[in-house]
Amino acid sequence: MRKFLCLLIILLSIPMTVQAEEEDNEYLERMGLYRKTAAVTDLPWYSLAAMDQYERNINEDIEGRITGIIIKPETWFGLLHFDNERKHSEEAIQLFGGKGMDGNGDGIADIQDDEDVLFTYASIIQQLTEKEGTMQKALEVYYDREKAADLIALMEKIFHKFQTLDLSERSFIVSKNFNYSYRNTWGDSRGYGGRRIHEGTDIFASYGTPVKSASYGIVEIKGWNKYGGWRIGIRDAYNIYHYYAHLNSFEEGIEEGTLVEPGQVIGYVGSTGYGPEGTQGKFPPHLHYGIYKDNGKYEWAYDPYPSLRRWERNTNG
């Protein structure tokens, strides 16, 4: 029986091991592509990683591709758009007003080839930067969205700081060495500030319980909000905004622009909010945690409870 259980454990672990190896290989492959493209352009690898990650966050996975950047066929092929199923040389495409370029030196500008797509994208952004004066403005023009440029700039700082593409690690958001409790409160009604629903999960804990960052990210907002009291908003590399509210105080050194990692203390549980700055004690001490996802057009909230349960199981202390 013992041998059977050991064999079962080994067999069950194989799919997870294979998946982890595949993910590691993809990170290595993508990093190699970013560095190769950086070597032939003026864009550092972490800028290319941030631009690609933004598109990975807003687009569906593309079969056979490791990057998420999508360039419209009419932009890539120009007047050859009617014949975009065929392979064309860079010269032929540009003769017909297209922007597609050969990034891997095989003589073909292939809209399905990651090297060609990333090189073409980088070239377009560089040209726009020369025209508009800054990369920030170039990205605003390219995506026709100011927030897209802001999000890419934040992700660029995260990749540069942590020097890795694998930023998927997550941590439970209050110290497990303290007493706490929570349940799924998503969608419950709220009275203060008019009729609205509860967009998050409340974790009840004593005053001063350490609050931790769930992810790698950058502090986007810190300060007072009449609903959330003293609160912190952290943006991660996956266009996810993590909202921590009703804090009693902030951890020293945590400011807007601070880069944080999973498990890093960012503040302490309190009961602030529901009034002008400094209001507290209108409800029991707890942490309100919300998650908001940016999909390239707008930001929307979703239920964090399942994620919290998963992070709780996988976090020590």
Side-chain angles (χ1 to χ4, degrees):
M1 184 65 178
R2 183 180 299 174
K3 291 182 178 179
F4 173 77
L5 289 174
C6 290
L7 179 60
L8 181 61
I9 291 172
I10 292 172
L11 290 174
L12 289 173
S13 69
I14 289 175
M16 295 180 63
T17 303
V18 171
Q19 181 180 359
E21 290 179 352
E22 289 177 349
E23 290 176 352
D24 289 342
N25 289 337
E26 182 178 316
Y27 287 131
L28 289 172
E29 194 174 354
R30 282 167 52 201
M31 180 64 86
L33 179 57
Y34 298 149
R35 290 190 182 279
K36 181 178 180 180
T37 305
V40 293
T41 66
D42 293 329
L43 299 179
W45 74 264
Y46 46 85
S47 297
L48 294 168
M51 295 169 189
D52 182 36
Q53 188 62 53
Y54 177 78
E55 294 229 5
R56 290 170 68 85
N57 293 338
I58 64 174
N59 297 326
E60 298 291 334
D61 291 339
I62 309 169
E63 186 176 356
R65 295 269 307 277
I66 61 169
T67 64
I69 293 172
I70 296 176
I71 299 176
K72 294 178 180 179
E74 55 268 33
T75 300
W76 186 278
F77 293 102
L79 294 178
L80 280 174
H81 176 42
F82 69 91
D83 195 23
N84 61 28
E85 295 300 321
R86 296 184 58 186
K87 306 294 185 183
H88 298 282
S89 68
E90 178 180 314
E91 290 76 10
I93 288 173
Q94 294 188 1
L95 180 64
F96 285 87
K99 295 185 179 296
M101 301 180 72
D102 174 17
N104 59 11
D106 67 355
I108 299 297
D110 186 353
I111 197 172
Q112 296 299 328
D113 183 88
D114 284 299
E115 286 191 55
D116 291 357
V117 171
L118 189 60
F119 182 67
T120 299
Y121 175 91
S123 299
I124 292 172
I125 297 303
Q126 284 181 306
Q127 292 168 10
L128 278 173
T129 300
E130 293 176 2
K131 179 180 178 181
E132 301 295 335
T134 66
M135 186 183 295
Q136 177 84 8
K137 185 61 179 176
L139 290 167
E140 288 180 23
V141 171
Y142 183 83
Y143 289 104
D144 193 24
R145 188 183 185 220
E146 183 177 349
K147 189 166 185 177
D150 293 337
L151 292 174
I152 290 171
L154 291 176
M155 286 185 276
E156 183 180 30
K157 292 177 182 177
I158 295 170
F159 284 122
H160 191 201
K161 165 69 174 179
F162 296 108
Q163 292 290 302
T164 181
L165 299 179
D166 184 4
L167 299 170
S168 59
E169 180 184 347
R170 293 292 183 265
S171 172
F172 192 56
I173 59 175
V174 298
S175 175
K176 294 174 68 176
N177 297 322
F178 289 69
N179 292 324
Y180 65 89
S181 65
Y182 66 105
R183 61 181 180 84
N184 194 347
T185 53
W186 174 263
D188 288 358
S189 62
R190 286 292 179 267
Y192 181 81
R195 297 188 64 178
R196 56 195 179 94
I197 67 166
H198 189 237
E199 293 184 345
T201 295
D202 289 336
I203 301 179
F204 290 87
S206 301
Y207 285 104
T209 297
V211 174
K212 300 180 178 182
S213 174
S215 66
Y216 292 98
I218 187 168
V219 178
E220 192 173 282
I221 290 177
K222 172 197 170 187
W224 181 266
N225 176 294
K226 68 178 181 179
Y227 300 110
W230 297 118
R231 85 326 189 180
I232 290 177
I234 295 175
R235 179 81 56 180
D236 71 21
Y238 303 97
N239 278 8
I240 296 174
Y241 179 77
H242 304 256
Y243 179 69
Y244 308 80
H246 306 314
L247 301 176
N248 183 58
S249 60
F250 304 109
E251 173 70 351
E252 185 177 354
I254 297 295
E255 304 292 344
E256 291 185 7
T258 299
L259 290 153
V260 298
E261 54 189 279
Q264 181 175 340
V265 175
I266 58 174
Y268 300 89
V269 169
S271 62
T272 59
Y274 283 21
E277 184 172 327
T279 302
Q280 60 179 321
K282 289 193 171 184
F283 39 75
H286 68 279
L287 171 69
H288 169 91
Y289 175 67
I291 302 181
Y292 300 80
K293 172 73 174 178
D294 186 278
N295 66 2
K297 297 179 180 179
Y298 53 86
E299 200 164 68
W300 49 276
Y302 64 95
D303 186 2
Y305 182 79
S307 297
L308 288 170
R309 283 300 191 194
R310 184 171 62 255
W311 301 341
E312 184 183 25
R313 289 193 302 269
N314 297 333
T315 301
N316 297 318

